[in-house]
Amino acid sequence: MTDIINLMNDLLWGSILVYLLVGGGIYFTVRLGFIQFRHFGHMFSVLKNSRKADKAGISSFQALCTSLAARVGTGNMAGVAVALTVGGPGAIFWMWLIAMLGMATSFAESSLAQLYKTKDEDGNYRGGPAYYMEKGLGMRWMGVLFSIFLIIAFGLVFNSVQANSIASAMNTAFGIEPMYVGIGVALLSAFVIFGGIRKIARTAELIVPVMALAYLALALFVMFTNLDKVPDVLVLIFKSAFGLQEAAAGGVGYAIAQAMINGIKRGLFSNEAGMGSAPNAAASATPYPPHPASQGYVQMLGVFTDTIVICSATVAIILVSGEYVPHGEITGIELTQRALTAEVGEWGGIFVAVAIFFFAFTSIIANYSYAETNLIFLEHNHKAGLNIFRVIVLGMVLFGAVSSLPVVWAMADVSMGLMAIVNMVAILLLSGIVVKLAKDYNQQLKAGKVPTFNAKDYPELHSQLEEGIWDDHEELKAQVERNK
């Protein structure tokens, strides 16, 4: 079984996805006029009124926190350490590059998710890749395929990965048996996920910003106390990315390939750009400005925060600590804990254990919310089926806590890769609509207006959009004006 999983990983990540994700990122970057660079400041401007929502949706800030809850987890602490160990410091350069390109891809998929969103039987906004595949492309079969891959990946496998990291961190820091950690995490997860999407969003909104800021503050402290080492770390990353570090010893091509594959793989696992996961959260939001593209800007910020900010913090901690050993046996969350302990003392390992607990716990509940949206797409809000699925998810959390890391990571890579392929094909086919949305938004912005989506301006989309979804913007506009 392990051999089959590894063979699929080699095929997916050795060629197909590297070209598809990098190529797709370049394509959207160019077609959208380098939007992630030209409008970098506007991402933050959109957040000014991001706390508002109507009765059908969560706020844009809650959608951002939910997507960050899924993004900011093991990929930032354990995944970066794995990329360093297997791919060398050069993997970090490729992780940064895929994030910068991925910001444009994230804009595309999240804008489409907002455009094609629907309301479920409880009156909540739902949407994501499965929905724009069905409505935008007229290919429900493609949406079904994507939903199945997402449910396997996020509802089941990824939650095992998160639980595995929590159990490993708690065992290293406190000596707690993985089984007991798994039971505790499963019970906490049950309390939140049985409360539905709004409870998940509120929980993410409370936990994610606090833990992210605390982790960044500690990383900055480590960097400032090792300022003399920072230039050498940057030089090492860039040299390794292009094989200059290995040139003297030969094997340059292999070294670059390993850095690229592991950097892109771990980068995607962490920031999820192009994978089709974050759009599920983006579609649940009430956007302000009331235009699909505004959620594209919000989710671009999510990619930047996850990889360029938080992943880089982990890289800095590990590389300045002296704990990093190329191809060493110590990897994953244990390497991050050892690095921080070497810099700040014994409490550093405890801090990482607590941080990974909260980051990975919020990832579990956010991952579940993505899977729930896609299960609703498949079976139209079947309540009994939903509860059965919740129990299965909790079982996978327990499984992950006691299973071995390499097998779990390998399963995660396969399921993530299949998801990404289906989603990337869909958003490339719908790229013309993405460009129209971006132009419409930015023309209104330049004219000094609050960008507002008017479905009547798009007669070609009329039959594809759910009736009433994009009709009433005035109430939200008035609410924002009153609070200025």
Side-chain angles (χ1 to χ4, degrees):
M1 184 65 179
T2 305
D3 290 340
I4 295 173
I5 292 171
N6 289 335
L7 182 65
M8 290 183 70
N9 268 330
D10 290 341
L11 178 64
L12 287 170
W13 292 102
S15 55
I16 299 172
L17 275 167
V18 171
Y19 296 117
L20 188 59
L21 291 166
V22 175
I26 293 170
Y27 176 77
F28 281 112
T29 296
V30 173
R31 282 212 68 183
L32 294 170
F34 296 85
I35 194 168
Q36 67 270 51
F37 305 108
R38 288 191 303 115
H39 297 162
F40 184 79
H42 187 64
M43 296 188 300
F44 299 91
S45 299
V46 174
L47 285 183
K48 288 178 184 175
N49 293 299
S50 65
R51 306 300 290 271
K52 307 300 177 186
D54 59 22
K55 60 185 179 181
I58 60 177
S59 71
S60 290
F61 185 71
Q62 286 178 323
L64 175 63
C65 287
T66 301
S67 66
L68 277 174
R71 288 178 172 128
V72 180
T74 56
N76 301 79
M77 294 182 176
V80 168
V82 170
L84 274 172
T85 307
V86 180
I92 306 309
F93 171 84
W94 298 106
M95 189 182 286
W96 288 337
L97 180 64
I98 198 66
M100 297 307 294
L101 294 174
M103 288 170 72
T105 310
S106 186
F107 177 92
E109 60 185 358
S110 296
S111 298
L112 288 170
Q114 260 293 315
L115 177 66
Y116 290 109
K117 68 186 178 185
T118 66
K119 283 185 181 178
D120 65 18
E121 291 177 8
D122 298 322
N124 297 316
Y125 290 137
R126 296 280 183 178
Y131 295 78
Y132 56 68
M133 289 167 193
E134 180 181 42
K135 291 177 172 293
L137 294 174
M139 300 180 183
R140 180 171 171 82
W141 66 267
M142 193 179 191
V144 168
L145 191 64
F146 176 85
S147 291
I148 291 169
F149 287 144
L150 185 140
I151 288 167
I152 292 170
F154 279 80
L156 306 176
V157 180
F158 280 9
N159 281 342
S160 291
V161 172
Q162 304 295 350
N164 186 282
S165 286
I166 293 175
S168 175
M170 289 296 171
N171 184 257
T172 302
F174 306 110
I176 304 173
E177 286 297 316
M179 175 58 78
Y180 298 128
V181 175
I183 292 169
V185 173
L187 290 173
L188 279 173
S189 301
F191 176 72
V192 178
I193 67 176
F194 276 91
I197 193 165
R198 290 183 183 274
K199 190 164 190 176
I200 291 168
R202 284 195 298 270
T203 304
E205 183 182 27
L206 289 171
I207 296 175
V208 172
V210 174
M211 286 311 304
L213 289 173
Y215 187 63
L216 287 175
L218 190 57
L220 286 172
F221 170 77
V222 171
M223 284 178 68
F224 280 118
T225 54
N226 293 276
L227 270 179
D228 57 318
K229 297 179 182 177
V230 173
D232 292 336
V233 166
L234 290 172
V235 169
L236 178 64
I237 289 171
F238 283 96
K239 277 188 173 182
S240 298
F242 299 100
L244 301 178
Q245 194 75 8
E246 294 81 7
V252 176
Y254 177 77
I256 295 174
Q258 285 298 104
M260 281 185 68
I261 290 168
N262 285 283
I264 291 171
K265 187 191 298 185
R266 294 275 72 84
L268 177 64
F269 180 83
S270 180
N271 67 54
E272 301 176 14
M275 198 193 303
S277 49
N280 294 277
S284 299
T286 302
Y288 193 87
H291 193 290
S294 68
Q295 273 303 300
Y297 283 105
V298 169
Q299 294 304 327
M300 277 206 303
L301 182 58
V303 173
F304 178 82
T305 302
D306 171 85
T307 307
I308 307 300
V309 179
I310 299 177
C311 282
S312 297
T314 303
V315 171
I317 290 169
I318 293 173
L319 290 182
V320 302
S321 70
E323 291 293 315
Y324 165 68
V325 177
H327 307 292
E329 292 183 6
I330 306 300
T331 187
I333 198 65
E334 189 179 348
L335 176 57
T336 307
Q337 282 179 295
R338 288 193 177 201
L340 200 51
T341 299
E343 288 300 312
V344 300
E346 286 300 317
W347 68 270
I350 295 171
F351 177 88
V352 172
V354 173
I356 200 69
F357 175 83
F358 283 108
F359 282 154
F361 168 67
T362 52
S363 289
I364 288 170
I365 60 175
N367 289 348
Y368 164 77
S369 75
Y370 295 167
E372 179 182 282
T373 291
N374 284 270
L375 193 65
I376 288 170
F377 174 82
L378 291 177
E379 62 174 22
H380 304 292
N381 230 14
H382 189 280
K383 300 293 184 184
L386 206 54
N387 286 327
I388 292 169
F389 178 67
R390 286 167 174 165
V391 172
I392 294 171
V393 169
L394 298 174
M396 288 300 291
V397 169
L398 275 174
F399 165 77
V402 297
S403 61
S404 65
L405 184 65
V407 173
V408 174
W409 275 109
M411 288 170 63
D413 287 338
V414 170
S415 51
M416 174 177 66
L418 293 172
M419 255 183 70
I421 288 172
V422 178
N423 182 58
M424 286 300 297
V425 170
I427 63 175
L428 287 168
L429 290 173
L430 291 167
S431 60
I433 294 172
V434 176
V435 174
K436 285 182 183 179
L437 290 174
K439 284 182 178 176
D440 180 44
Y441 183 96
N442 286 295
Q443 282 171 357
Q444 293 185 57
L445 199 64
K446 283 180 183 176
K449 301 176 182 177
V450 174
T452 302
F453 181 75
N454 188 344
K456 293 176 183 175
D457 295 338
Y458 296 87
E460 72 277 18
L461 298 180
H462 189 264
S463 62
Q464 298 176 359
L465 304 181
E466 181 158 320
E467 191 175 347
I469 289 286
W470 289 105
D471 290 349
D472 187 16
H473 308 302
E474 298 310 313
E475 184 182 340
L476 185 63
K477 281 186 180 180
Q479 185 184 4
V480 171
E481 287 299 319
R482 285 195 299 271
N483 286 281
K484 278 186 176 178

